């Protein structure tokens, strides 16, 4: 009977969960919620107990390793007091002072590992007013619990619509319009895809095992960069303005955003070191591999036959950041078009699919630790990561407290720079997270905002 009871509370860990919580790699997701009104932290306990914990058994489970080395989720009793943190700062200080306190606190918890003897999440409630919010709530979750898509769905399950709590939050659709092609029109694309797949898969192997990006103003190339302090700054762009650029260039919004970020990054690099504008620099652009057309509810995600399942369902493109030329400054739309062509060419490739099979092969032959080391090397040999999520269209509220804004940060990757984005109520919030003391986050932010202004003005007034 005792063995049967134990089996009932053990759930096998997915391979990706094991990769992301290993001796070689441990990634943390920090979701920051900015509230319009001062926070009443008395709502935290019932909200977590009645809403958050029931979402998924992983929020009430710890990782264990069996005798044969197999790792599983084990359900445990959760002491919510151990998961809620309310830091105390000096009272009566300025918003600028609390901005610094918040930034230092975010950096501190980003570099601290979650205790393995309790479920891998925490909530931090900062009740001090900053320039962006009357108070902040930080959800700290281990990436092994799920990817940004899953965890965003989980966190947003705790929210209601601010205008009408009886209605569900809605999200923009990401379904592309299907295009029908005849066999003969598909044939050239098929052969091109074969060539691109062979090249991209081979280049990815060499990139992971032999070739590294050049050391540059955005890549310190030091060992253990993932353990160094980080600092995050954010900026906001209008989704309507991004759509105007998209329409003008006939590309996707993701192409526009990638073009803006990489152009701004290149300009920052060149200002720091004139020669670095021509350095070999690669960005990992994370892709959601689910078949989806917008967010699914958490209930739909946890169904056994869901086409948008819970967990870690992502892959990445290794995108070479276009080198900066004088023509890109005079006509920045050329840079966006170039980024679009690079991404489109790599999407016309099954290299991501074969890379997934390669990871499975490594895991079966050498185990999940070796697979995690391979992923670590892929990250370590590149310069930056870019990922984005789709947020709700309507303003939301947490326990009747309106949410002014939100963004997320990924910590623990062996890179000096990562850029994360989430849309919310018609705005795109971008968080730039950098290795503290190596990259000047304020100058990098200014360069990206300047790149946006250049591209937007060029699109409206060619």
């Amino acid at each position: 009977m005792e063995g049967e009871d134990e089996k009932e509370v053990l759930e096998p860990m997915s391979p990706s969960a094991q990769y992301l919580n290993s001796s070689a790699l441990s990634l943390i997701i920090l979701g920051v919620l900015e509230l319009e009104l001062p926070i009443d932290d008395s709502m935290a306990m019932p909200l977590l107990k009645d809403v958050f914990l029931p979402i998924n058994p992983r929020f009430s489970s710890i990782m264990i390793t069996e005798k044969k080395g197999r790792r599983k989720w084990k359900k445990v009793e959760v002491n919510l007091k151990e998961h809620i943190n309310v830091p105390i700062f000096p009272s009566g200080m300025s918003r600028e002072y609390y901005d610094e306190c918040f930034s230092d606190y975010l950096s501190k918890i980003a570099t601290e590992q979650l205790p393995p003897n309790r479920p891998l999440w925490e909530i931090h409630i900062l009740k001090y007013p900053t320039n962006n919010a009357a108070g902040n709530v930080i959800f700290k979750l281990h990436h092994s619990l799920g990817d940004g898509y899953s965890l965003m769905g989980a966190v947003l399950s705790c929210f209601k619509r601010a205008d009408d709590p009886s209605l569900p939050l809605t999200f923009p659709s990401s379904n592309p319009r299907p295009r029908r092609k005849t066999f003969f029109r598909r044939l050239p694309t098929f052969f091109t895809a074969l060539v691109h797949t062979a090249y991209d898969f081979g280049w990815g192997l060499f990139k992971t095992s032999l070739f590294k990006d050049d050391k540059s103003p955005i890549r310190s190339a030091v060992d253990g960069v993932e353990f160094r302090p980080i600092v995050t700054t954010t900026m906001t762009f209008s989704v309507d303005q991004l759509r105007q650029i998209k329409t003008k260039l006939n590309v996707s919004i993701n192409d526009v955003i990638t073009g803006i970020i990489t152009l701004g990054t290149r300009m920052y690099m060149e200002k720091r070191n004139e020669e670095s504008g021509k350095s070999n620099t690669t960005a990992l652009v994370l892709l959601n591999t689910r078949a989806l057309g917008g967010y699914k509810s958490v209930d739909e995600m946890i169904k056994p036959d869901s086409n948008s399942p819970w967990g870690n369902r992502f892959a990445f493109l290794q995108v070479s950041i276009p080198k900066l030329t004088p023509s890109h400054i005079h006509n920045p739309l050329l840079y966006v078009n170039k980024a679009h062509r690079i991404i489109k060419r790599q999407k016309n490739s099954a290299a991501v699919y074969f890379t997934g099979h390669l990871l499975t092969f490594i895991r079966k032959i050498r185990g999940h630790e070796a697979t995690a080391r391979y992923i670590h090397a892929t990250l370590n040999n590149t310069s930056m990561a870019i990922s984005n999520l789709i947020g709700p269209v309507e303003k939301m509220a947490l326990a009747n407290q309106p949410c002014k804004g939100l963004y997320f940060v990924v910590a623990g990757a062996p890179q000096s720079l990562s850029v994360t984005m989430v849309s919310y109520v018609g705005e795109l919030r971008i968080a730039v997270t950098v290795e503290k003391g190596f990259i000047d986050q304020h100058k990098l932010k200014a360069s990206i905002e300047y790149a946006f202004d250049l591209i937007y003005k060029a699109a409206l007034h060619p």
Side-chain angles (χ1 to χ4, degrees), residues 106-119:
L106 187 67
S107 176
K108 172 179 172 289
I109 65 173
T111 52
E112 292 176 343
Q113 292 296 309
L114 289 159
N117 61 341
R118 64 185 191 221

Side-chain angles (χ1 to χ4, degrees), residues 46-63:
L47 193 65
L48 293 172
K49 180 181 177 182
D50 300 330
V51 180
F52 183 73
L53 287 184
I55 288 173
N56 195 292
R58 294 185 191 179
F59 297 144
S60 304
S61 302
I62 62 172
M63 290 185 175

Side-chain angles (χ1 to χ4, degrees), residues 271-437:
K271 286 178 183 177
R272 288 280 305 273
N273 181 342
E274 191 171 343
E275 295 302 316
S276 68
K278 307 294 188 295
S279 63
N280 292 317
T281 305
T282 307
L284 288 182
V285 179
L286 273 71
L287 302 174
N288 191 317
T289 58
R290 294 170 176 84
L292 60 104
Y295 267 102
K296 300 293 189 295
S297 69
V298 172
D299 289 340
E300 290 177 300
M301 277 194 272
I302 61 178
K303 290 179 181 178
D305 58 347
S306 174
N307 70 341
S308 183
W310 182 279
N312 283 285
R313 307 286 175 136
F314 65 89
F316 45 76
L317 293 178
Q318 297 189 42
V319 178
S320 294
I321 298 180
K323 293 178 172 60
L324 197 61
T325 66
S327 62
H328 293 146
I329 303 301
H330 296 300
N331 185 1
L333 300 185
L334 294 175
Y335 196 92
V336 178
N337 279 320
K338 190 167 186 178
H340 162 72
R341 288 194 300 271
I342 292 172
I343 295 172
K344 183 179 179 181
R345 194 202 67 72
Q346 290 194 262
K347 283 184 176 180
N348 186 29
S349 162
V352 168
Y353 174 81
F354 285 107
T355 299
H357 280 281
L358 174 64
L359 296 180
T360 301
F361 176 76
I362 297 173
R363 176 177 58 84
K364 289 181 177 179
I365 300 299
R366 301 183 59 193
H368 71 271
E369 286 286 346
T371 313
R373 288 194 293 272
Y374 181 88
I375 297 172
H376 182 278
T378 302
L379 293 164
N380 190 47
N381 291 354
T382 57
S383 297
M384 64 185 294
I386 302 174
S387 61
N388 68 80
L389 294 172
I390 299 173
V393 173
E394 305 88 9
K395 180 173 284 191
M396 56 190 186
L398 181 68
N400 296 319
Q401 300 185 65
C403 180
K404 182 180 180 182
L406 74 155
Y407 59 93
F408 73 102
V409 171
V410 179
Q415 294 166 309
S416 299
L417 170 62
S418 70
V419 181
T420 52
M421 296 161 277
V422 62
S423 61
Y424 177 57
V425 196
E427 293 184 333
L428 184 75
R429 189 70 174 276
I430 299 179
V432 177
T433 302
V434 304
E435 180 185 343
K436 191 173 185 178

Side-chain angles (χ1 to χ4, degrees), residues 85-340:
N85 301 273
V86 185
I88 303 298
F89 303 138
S91 60
M93 307 300 284
S94 67
R95 290 177 181 267
E96 288 72 21
Y97 176 84
Y98 292 128
D99 276 337
E100 288 296 322
C101 289
F102 176 82
S103 178
D104 291 343
Y105 188 82
L106 187 67
S107 176
K108 172 179 172 289
I109 65 173
T111 52
E112 292 176 343
Q113 292 296 309
L114 289 159
N117 61 341
R118 64 185 191 221
L120 299 173
W121 62 271
E122 293 174 348
I123 182 172
H124 299 259
I125 302 172
L126 288 81
K127 299 191 290 184
Y128 302 89
T130 64
N131 282 312
N132 289 329
N136 293 272
V137 177
I138 304 172
F139 280 85
K140 178 179 178 179
L141 308 114
H142 201 280
H143 213 318
S144 60
L145 296 172
D147 56 18
Y149 178 86
S150 297
L151 297 178
M152 172 68 80
V155 170
L156 294 185
S157 294
C158 303
F159 286 78
K160 301 291 185 182
R161 276 180 57 162
D163 60 342
D164 188 344
S166 66
L167 296 176
L169 292 167
T170 58
F171 300 83
S173 172
S174 60
N175 257 347
R177 182 174 295 180
R179 296 180 180 179
R180 294 186 178 182
K181 289 186 177 181
T182 65
F183 172 77
F184 292 105
R185 292 184 65 187
R186 288 198 302 262
L187 200 57
T189 304
F190 173 75
F191 285 115
T192 302
L194 286 179
V195 174
H196 289 170
T197 297
Y199 176 83
D200 292 340
F201 182 66
W203 184 73
L205 287 175
F206 282 111
K207 187 71 178 170
T208 299
S209 56
L210 296 176
F211 300 132
K212 298 181 180 180
D213 275 4
D214 297 331
K215 185 177 179 179
S216 72
I218 65 166
R219 183 173 185 269
S220 66
V222 299
D223 292 333
V225 65
E226 62 266 40
F227 305 115
R228 295 189 168 224
I230 62 171
V231 63
T232 298
T233 186
T234 67
M235 64 197 86
T236 303
F237 296 147
S238 163
V239 172
D240 284 340
Q241 289 179 320
L242 294 170
R243 286 197 183 108
Q244 286 178 284
I245 302 170
K246 164 188 175 294
T247 301
K248 175 67 178 180
L249 299 181
N250 193 28
V251 298
S252 72
I253 282 189
N254 280 342
D255 294 333
V256 173
I257 296 168
T258 303
I260 291 168
I261 291 170
T262 54
L263 176 58
T265 301
R266 277 293 190 191
M267 290 192 296
Y268 167 82
M269 293 169 66
E270 194 169 71
K271 286 178 183 177
R272 288 280 305 273
N273 181 342
E274 191 171 343
E275 295 302 316
S276 68
K278 307 294 188 295
S279 63
N280 292 317
T281 305
T282 307
L284 288 182
V285 179
L286 273 71
L287 302 174
N288 191 317
T289 58
R290 294 170 176 84
L292 60 104
Y295 267 102
K296 300 293 189 295
S297 69
V298 172
D299 289 340
E300 290 177 300
M301 277 194 272
I302 61 178
K303 290 179 181 178
D305 58 347
S306 174
N307 70 341
S308 183
W310 182 279
N312 283 285
R313 307 286 175 136
F314 65 89
F316 45 76
L317 293 178
Q318 297 189 42
V319 178
S320 294
I321 298 180
K323 293 178 172 60
L324 197 61
T325 66
S327 62
H328 293 146
I329 303 301
H330 296 300
N331 185 1
L333 300 185
L334 294 175
Y335 196 92
V336 178
N337 279 320
K338 190 167 186 178
H340 162 72

